[in-house]
mmCIF file of all heavy atoms in Angstrom:
data_model
loop_
_atom_site.group_PDB
_atom_site.id
_atom_site.type_symbol
_atom_site.label_atom_id
_atom_site.label_comp_id
_atom_site.label_asym_id
_atom_site.label_seq_id
_atom_site.Cartn_x
_atom_site.Cartn_y
_atom_site.Cartn_z
ATOM 1 N N LEU U 8 140.808 109.997 100.735
ATOM 2 C CA LEU U 8 140.456 110.255 102.143
ATOM 3 C C LEU U 8 140.570 108.982 102.955
ATOM 4 O O LEU U 8 140.940 109.016 104.129
ATOM 5 C CB LEU U 8 139.007 110.734 102.221
ATOM 6 C CG LEU U 8 138.797 112.179 101.802
ATOM 7 C CD1 LEU U 8 137.313 112.499 101.832
ATOM 8 C CD2 LEU U 8 139.524 113.088 102.739
ATOM 9 N N VAL U 9 140.260 107.824 102.343
ATOM 10 C CA VAL U 9 140.460 106.525 103.058
ATOM 11 C C VAL U 9 141.899 106.435 103.482
ATOM 12 O O VAL U 9 142.191 106.076 104.615
ATOM 13 C CB VAL U 9 140.095 105.386 102.096
ATOM 14 C CG1 VAL U 9 140.553 104.036 102.627
ATOM 15 C CG2 VAL U 9 138.587 105.348 101.834
ATOM 16 N N GLU U 10 142.779 106.841 102.580
ATOM 17 C CA GLU U 10 144.240 106.752 102.901
ATOM 18 C C GLU U 10 144.590 107.748 104.024
ATOM 19 O O GLU U 10 145.192 107.348 104.992
ATOM 20 C CB GLU U 10 144.988 107.023 101.609
ATOM 21 C CG GLU U 10 146.467 106.681 101.656
ATOM 22 C CD GLU U 10 147.188 107.321 100.474
ATOM 23 O OE1 GLU U 10 146.721 107.103 99.329
ATOM 24 O OE2 GLU U 10 148.183 108.007 100.708
ATOM 25 N N SER U 11 144.176 109.027 103.832
ATOM 26 C CA SER U 11 144.640 109.991 104.818
ATOM 27 C C SER U 11 143.977 109.822 106.177
ATOM 28 O O SER U 11 144.524 110.268 107.197
ATOM 29 C CB SER U 11 144.572 111.420 104.281
ATOM 30 O OG SER U 11 143.328 111.642 103.747
ATOM 31 N N LEU U 12 142.813 109.235 106.220
ATOM 32 C CA LEU U 12 142.122 109.005 107.524
ATOM 33 C C LEU U 12 142.494 107.631 108.081
ATOM 34 O O LEU U 12 142.084 107.290 109.209
ATOM 35 C CB LEU U 12 140.588 109.079 107.343
ATOM 36 C CG LEU U 12 140.056 110.480 107.072
ATOM 37 C CD1 LEU U 12 138.595 110.410 106.620
ATOM 38 C CD2 LEU U 12 140.212 111.385 108.272
ATOM 39 N N GLY U 13 143.298 106.841 107.369
ATOM 40 C CA GLY U 13 143.690 105.522 107.867
ATOM 41 C C GLY U 13 142.563 104.550 108.018
ATOM 42 O O GLY U 13 142.516 103.765 108.962
ATOM 43 N N LEU U 14 141.574 104.623 107.098
ATOM 44 C CA LEU U 14 140.414 103.741 107.187
ATOM 45 C C LEU U 14 140.695 102.425 106.561
ATOM 46 O O LEU U 14 141.554 102.307 105.655
ATOM 47 C CB LEU U 14 139.170 104.414 106.579
ATOM 48 C CG LEU U 14 138.838 105.828 107.088
ATOM 49 C CD1 LEU U 14 137.617 106.363 106.376
ATOM 50 C CD2 LEU U 14 138.637 105.841 108.606
ATOM 51 N N ARG U 15 139.895 101.388 106.906
ATOM 52 C CA ARG U 15 140.009 100.076 106.253
ATOM 53 C C ARG U 15 138.682 99.746 105.569
ATOM 54 O O ARG U 15 137.602 100.017 106.134
ATOM 55 C CB ARG U 15 140.236 98.982 107.307
ATOM 56 C CG ARG U 15 141.591 99.075 107.994
ATOM 57 C CD ARG U 15 142.335 97.780 107.752
ATOM 58 N NE ARG U 15 143.700 97.958 108.204
ATOM 59 C CZ ARG U 15 144.181 97.484 109.371
ATOM 60 N NH1 ARG U 15 143.323 96.767 110.093
ATOM 61 N NH2 ARG U 15 145.405 97.659 109.716
ATOM 62 N N ARG U 16 138.814 99.113 104.382
ATOM 63 C CA ARG U 16 137.577 98.673 103.679
ATOM 64 C C ARG U 16 136.858 97.601 104.514
ATOM 65 O O ARG U 16 137.531 96.641 104.960
ATOM 66 C CB ARG U 16 137.924 98.151 102.313
ATOM 67 C CG ARG U 16 136.692 97.800 101.557
ATOM 68 C CD ARG U 16 136.996 97.449 100.114
ATOM 69 N NE ARG U 16 135.791 96.994 99.446
ATOM 70 C CZ ARG U 16 135.558 97.032 98.160
ATOM 71 N NH1 ARG U 16 136.423 97.564 97.358
ATOM 72 N NH2 ARG U 16 134.409 96.590 97.638
ATOM 73 N N ASP U 17 135.573 97.729 104.733
ATOM 74 C CA ASP U 17 134.798 96.717 105.486
ATOM 75 C C ASP U 17 134.500 95.592 104.521
ATOM 76 O O ASP U 17 133.967 95.796 103.427
ATOM 77 C CB ASP U 17 133.450 97.333 105.971
ATOM 78 C CG ASP U 17 133.680 98.464 106.943
ATOM 79 O OD1 ASP U 17 134.436 98.351 107.918
ATOM 80 O OD2 ASP U 17 133.053 99.554 106.730
ATOM 81 N N GLU U 18 134.829 94.355 104.919
ATOM 82 C CA GLU U 18 134.520 93.167 104.140
ATOM 83 C C GLU U 18 133.751 92.194 105.057
ATOM 84 O O GLU U 18 134.349 91.657 105.943
ATOM 85 C CB GLU U 18 135.792 92.445 103.684
ATOM 86 C CG GLU U 18 136.704 93.315 102.831
ATOM 87 C CD GLU U 18 136.346 93.308 101.325
ATOM 88 O OE1 GLU U 18 135.205 92.862 101.004
ATOM 89 O OE2 GLU U 18 137.182 93.779 100.533
ATOM 90 N N PRO U 19 132.457 91.982 104.915
ATOM 91 C CA PRO U 19 131.622 92.584 103.894
ATOM 92 C C PRO U 19 131.325 94.052 104.209
ATOM 93 O O PRO U 19 131.532 94.510 105.320
ATOM 94 C CB PRO U 19 130.346 91.733 103.977
ATOM 95 C CG PRO U 19 130.305 91.308 105.437
ATOM 96 C CD PRO U 19 131.723 91.149 105.847
ATOM 97 N N SER U 20 130.710 94.702 103.216
ATOM 98 C CA SER U 20 130.332 96.094 103.381
ATOM 99 C C SER U 20 129.315 96.194 104.561
ATOM 100 O O SER U 20 128.518 95.290 104.755
ATOM 101 C CB SER U 20 129.607 96.563 102.075
ATOM 102 O OG SER U 20 128.948 97.816 102.284
ATOM 103 N N ARG U 21 129.374 97.325 105.284
ATOM 104 C CA ARG U 21 128.449 97.515 106.409
ATOM 105 C C ARG U 21 127.006 97.699 105.905
ATOM 106 O O ARG U 21 126.058 97.726 106.660
ATOM 107 C CB ARG U 21 128.876 98.731 107.221
ATOM 108 C CG ARG U 21 130.234 98.539 107.915
ATOM 109 C CD ARG U 21 130.128 97.608 109.121
ATOM 110 N NE ARG U 21 129.255 98.135 110.180
ATOM 111 C CZ ARG U 21 129.662 98.822 111.231
ATOM 112 N NH1 ARG U 21 130.919 99.081 111.384
ATOM 113 N NH2 ARG U 21 128.787 99.242 112.153
ATOM 114 N N ILE U 22 126.868 97.922 104.574
ATOM 115 C CA ILE U 22 125.531 98.007 103.977
ATOM 116 C C ILE U 22 125.350 96.836 103.063
ATOM 117 O O ILE U 22 126.043 96.650 102.058
ATOM 118 C CB ILE U 22 125.373 99.339 103.184
ATOM 119 C CG1 ILE U 22 125.582 100.498 104.198
ATOM 120 C CG2 ILE U 22 124.019 99.445 102.537
ATOM 121 C CD1 ILE U 22 125.566 101.881 103.593
ATOM 122 N N ALA U 23 124.335 95.978 103.416
ATOM 123 C CA ALA U 23 124.194 94.681 102.718
ATOM 124 C C ALA U 23 123.713 94.825 101.290
ATOM 125 O O ALA U 23 122.954 95.757 100.977
ATOM 126 C CB ALA U 23 123.205 93.826 103.541
ATOM 127 N N PRO U 24 124.085 93.886 100.407
ATOM 128 C CA PRO U 24 123.492 93.822 99.106
ATOM 129 C C PRO U 24 121.986 93.649 99.210
ATOM 130 O O PRO U 24 121.467 93.146 100.208
ATOM 131 C CB PRO U 24 124.123 92.568 98.449
ATOM 132 C CG PRO U 24 125.281 92.234 99.324
ATOM 133 C CD PRO U 24 125.015 92.809 100.665
ATOM 134 N N PRO U 25 121.203 94.023 98.158
ATOM 135 C CA PRO U 25 121.673 94.351 96.813
ATOM 136 C C PRO U 25 122.182 95.801 96.711
ATOM 137 O O PRO U 25 122.587 96.174 95.615
ATOM 138 C CB PRO U 25 120.383 94.153 95.969
ATOM 139 C CG PRO U 25 119.298 94.439 96.878
ATOM 140 C CD PRO U 25 119.693 93.926 98.217
ATOM 141 N N ALA U 26 122.170 96.616 97.724
ATOM 142 C CA ALA U 26 122.698 97.972 97.619
ATOM 143 C C ALA U 26 124.213 97.790 97.318
ATOM 144 O O ALA U 26 124.867 96.962 97.987
ATOM 145 C CB ALA U 26 122.505 98.751 98.907
ATOM 146 N N PRO U 27 124.725 98.529 96.371
ATOM 147 C CA PRO U 27 126.154 98.340 95.948
ATOM 148 C C PRO U 27 127.139 99.178 96.767
ATOM 149 O O PRO U 27 128.302 99.283 96.403
ATOM 150 C CB PRO U 27 126.117 98.810 94.463
ATOM 151 C CG PRO U 27 125.077 99.842 94.456
ATOM 152 C CD PRO U 27 124.038 99.458 95.469
ATOM 153 N N CYS U 28 126.685 99.708 97.909
ATOM 154 C CA CYS U 28 127.496 100.642 98.650
ATOM 155 C C CYS U 28 128.769 99.963 99.183
ATOM 156 O O CYS U 28 128.802 98.783 99.564
ATOM 157 C CB CYS U 28 126.736 101.169 99.867
ATOM 158 S SG CYS U 28 125.129 101.819 99.471
ATOM 159 N N VAL U 29 129.869 100.724 99.150
ATOM 160 C CA VAL U 29 131.171 100.266 99.673
ATOM 161 C C VAL U 29 131.496 101.083 100.874
ATOM 162 O O VAL U 29 131.394 102.322 100.847
ATOM 163 C CB VAL U 29 132.253 100.472 98.604
ATOM 164 C CG1 VAL U 29 133.630 100.011 99.095
ATOM 165 C CG2 VAL U 29 131.893 99.737 97.258
#
Side-chain angles (χ1 to χ4, degrees):
L8 285 176
V9 167
E10 193 192 309
S11 49
L12 291 168
L14 306 180
R15 293 240 171 101
R16 184 171 174 154
D17 299 310
E18 301 275 14
S20 170
R21 296 285 297 265
I22 300 175
C28 310
V29 179

